Amino acid sequence: MGTRRKARVFVRVRPTSDFAHEMIRYGDDNKTINIHLKKDTRRGIVNNQQTHWSFKLDGVLHNASQDVVYETVAKDVVSQALSGYNGTIMCYGQTGAGKTYTMTGAMENYKCRGILPRTLQQVFRMIREHPTQAITVHVSYLEIYNESLFDLLSTVPYVGPSVTPLTVVENPQGVFIKGLSVHLTSQEEDAFSLLFEGETNRITASHTMNKNSSRSHSIFTIYVEAHSQTLSDEKYVTSKINLVDLAGSERLGKSGSEGRVLKEATYINKSLSFLEQAIIALGDQKRDHIPFRQCKLTHALKDSLGGNCTMVLVTNIFGEAAHLEETLSSLRFASRMKLVTTEPAINEKYDAEQMVKNLEKELALLNQELAIHDRLANRPLVNCDTLDEIQIDEINSQVQRYLKGTLDEIDMVNAQGSWFLY
């Protein structure tokens, strides 16, 4: 088993010209964020209202470029994939705070590309840097919308719509989505084509806080398999990188959602609430039961949240005073994630076909050694070939007659072709 590690948690503040300097302050270590509120004098002289909060995380990304965000948050997680370690990078926060920009970036601007496209670039760059390994890459793209699962790559011509609904399934190897299409990508361009296809199919809507609000959670998964091309080793490693863009939490009074958008917001808030409950339970060492099955989101992320995986969370927040209540809620979520531990371990598998080839080679070498020993001992050479069908039939016949009592002794032909008397 691997060594237990705590989830790494970062906060990214959306740039603004109206930053609440008096209310939000950063520590000198660039890891602490302090929130300060003025006391509400309307509550009277005896006022126990809390006015100060301090959150210690793994890093505060303030006015950070997309390059800096990727180097800080994702690069190490992705680099471990070829060694067989799973990784999950998740973006969480209030609607409009910059989660999707952090994860996917602005597709039309190369410099503004986010964690997901940069991850694809790094994976294929690592493949080019490891010519002694045969590495294959597959991808899938899942959407969770209104507590239903959808394949964002089902519109690819050779896939077509799924006949049966997607379901979350567990087996001894972990959690997977039954019915979700997984696509081989032999080059970087293929992976980006699939990413753009999936992004086109995502559901968005407009409300007062975000003109292009994601109305669903999405999980883009990269599956990596690496075999050695120089060693005849039956052992190989596999890994997967989950890149999770969560839909934003909403205060319905602020977003002004109505109709379909209101229904979507209700599902989003409910699933995020269940996610927080699961994280609170994971952070409590005394809890035996973790409520992963309360919703599709937590069930699909079961391996990522508490299993064999390196976990990183980016919490996106606003810097304006008007959103301070939501910012506090997001920071509380981040601090709870800091208590979660995972147990990343190398995912090793064995190639059955290669195992047979290696055993055949080993058998041939042993036969050669026996032949050398026979020559040195001046013994006649023996044939080490396996028994033919005639010899096997003769042995079976003698055994049956011996068991029936009609044969006193068995003349046995061994693998060397010599007769022995028993």
Side-chain angles (χ1 to χ4, degrees):
M1 298 298 288
T3 304
R4 294 201 70 83
R5 302 179 190 171
K6 286 196 172 183
R8 298 178 69 224
V9 179
F10 298 87
V11 170
R12 189 180 193 186
V13 185
R14 177 168 176 159
T16 176
S17 59
D18 190 24
F19 189 81
H21 293 283
E22 294 183 358
M23 298 179 177
I24 304 175
R25 294 176 183 173
Y26 308 123
D28 295 333
D29 58 358
N30 205 32
K31 295 182 178 181
T32 306
I33 184 166
N34 299 306
I35 307 295
H36 181 73
L37 289 175
K38 291 181 180 180
K39 278 201 173 185
D40 187 353
T41 55
R42 293 175 296 179
R43 294 193 177 188
I45 298 173
V46 179
N47 186 348
N48 294 322
Q49 176 192 2
Q50 185 175 353
T51 59
H52 182 78
W53 295 262
S54 183
F55 301 92
K56 180 95 180 236
L57 308 167
D58 291 288
V60 177
L61 303 167
H62 181 56
N63 290 331
S65 65
Q66 295 282 66
D67 286 330
V68 171
V69 170
Y70 186 79
E71 292 286 326
T72 306
V73 170
K75 187 176 180 180
D76 289 344
V77 176
V78 179
S79 65
Q80 294 174 357
L82 290 191
S83 300
Y85 288 98
N86 296 334
T88 294
I89 302 168
M90 181 188 300
C91 288
Y92 172 91
Q94 181 187 2
T95 182
K99 298 176 304 303
T100 301
Y101 178 76
T102 298
M103 183 56 70
T104 58
M107 292 296 190
E108 66 279 0
N109 189 328
Y110 183 78
K111 289 184 178 180
C112 294
R113 66 198 188 284
I115 290 173
L116 205 166
R118 290 172 189 266
T119 297
L120 289 173
Q121 289 178 312
Q122 183 179 344
V123 167
F124 283 97
R125 184 167 61 249
M126 290 191 303
I127 291 174
R128 293 191 293 270
E129 293 170 353
H130 292 78
T132 59
Q133 288 183 294
I135 302 169
T136 56
V137 177
H138 293 75
V139 302
S140 65
Y141 209 171
L142 173 70
E143 179 180 55
I144 304 174
Y145 172 71
N146 286 1
E147 202 54 18
S148 296
L149 305 177
F150 296 95
D151 186 352
L152 288 173
L153 300 179
S154 64
T155 54
V156 175
Y158 58 84
V159 176
S162 177
V163 178
T164 58
L166 304 184
T167 53
V168 183
V169 177
E170 291 188 50
N171 62 20
Q173 285 73 45
V175 175
F176 70 98
I177 309 301
K178 186 178 180 180
L180 182 66
S181 63
V182 179
H183 305 257
L184 174 65
T185 55
S186 56
Q187 52 190 354
E188 194 173 312
E189 291 77 9
D190 298 338
F192 273 98
S193 294
L194 292 168
L195 171 60
F196 296 146
E197 179 79 17
E199 284 297 306
T200 303
N201 293 330
R202 279 199 74 180
I203 297 172
T204 61
S206 176
H207 54 69
T208 56
M209 295 185 65
N210 192 351
K211 291 182 179 180
N212 293 295
S213 173
S214 298
R215 311 310 293 165
S216 62
H217 311 297
S218 71
I219 305 173
F220 188 95
T221 305
I222 304 170
Y223 309 85
V224 180
E225 186 175 300
H227 297 252
S228 173
Q229 294 193 116
T230 56
L231 301 174
S232 58
D233 192 357
E234 64 267 14
K235 186 167 60 177
Y236 64 97
V237 296
T238 64
S239 62
K240 64 179 180 179
I241 306 169
N242 289 320
L243 300 157
V244 186
D245 181 16
L246 297 172
S249 59
E250 296 180 22
R251 289 196 179 274
L252 302 181
K254 282 189 175 182
S255 63
S257 300
E258 296 178 346
R260 179 179 67 86
V261 179
L262 175 61
K263 180 183 177 182
E264 293 166 347
T266 303
Y267 273 105
I268 291 168
N269 289 342
K270 186 177 180 180
S271 62
L272 292 175
S273 176
F274 286 141
L275 174 62
E276 187 161 10
Q277 289 177 28
I279 287 170
I280 291 171
L282 284 165
D284 185 352
Q285 302 298 323
K286 297 178 182 178
R287 288 282 293 268
D288 294 325
H289 173 69
I290 311 299
F292 285 120
R293 293 175 178 266
Q294 289 191 107
C295 69
K296 300 287 177 61
L297 175 64
T298 52
H299 199 185
L301 292 175
K302 180 179 178 180
D303 288 344
S304 300
L305 293 173
N308 170 21
C309 183
T310 299
M311 178 71 197
V312 179
L313 173 72
V314 180
T315 302
N316 297 84
I317 63 173
F318 283 99
E320 292 96 341
H323 300 290
L324 205 57
E325 193 174 348
E326 291 82 1
T327 293
L328 269 173
S329 177
S330 296
L331 290 172
R332 289 191 188 101
F333 180 92
S335 63
R336 286 164 181 157
M337 180 64 85
K338 278 283 293 176
L339 300 175
V340 174
T341 59
T342 60
E343 196 167 1
I346 296 176
N347 299 290
E348 292 180 337
K349 294 187 178 181
Y350 291 87
D351 187 335
E353 185 177 342
Q354 188 62 47
M355 286 179 70
V356 171
K357 289 180 180 178
N358 290 345
L359 289 171
E360 288 174 344
K361 287 180 181 178
E362 186 177 351
L363 182 61
L365 289 172
L366 289 172
N367 287 335
Q368 290 176 10
E369 278 189 40
L370 285 172
I372 292 170
H373 282 295
D374 288 339
R375 287 194 187 95
L376 292 174
N378 292 321
R379 290 196 296 263
L381 294 176
V382 294
N383 182 12
C384 294
D385 293 336
T386 55
L387 299 176
D388 58 30
E389 291 184 5
I390 296 174
Q391 291 172 317
I392 293 172
D393 289 341
E394 176 62 24
I395 291 171
N396 288 333
S397 174
Q398 290 190 41
V399 169
Q400 292 299 324
R401 282 185 287 159
Y402 180 80
L403 292 173
K404 291 177 181 178
T406 60
L407 185 68
D408 295 329
E409 294 178 343
I410 297 176
D411 294 324
M412 185 71 71
V413 181
N414 71 357
Q416 285 75 30
S418 301
W419 289 88
F420 286 88
L421 213 53
Y422 295 96

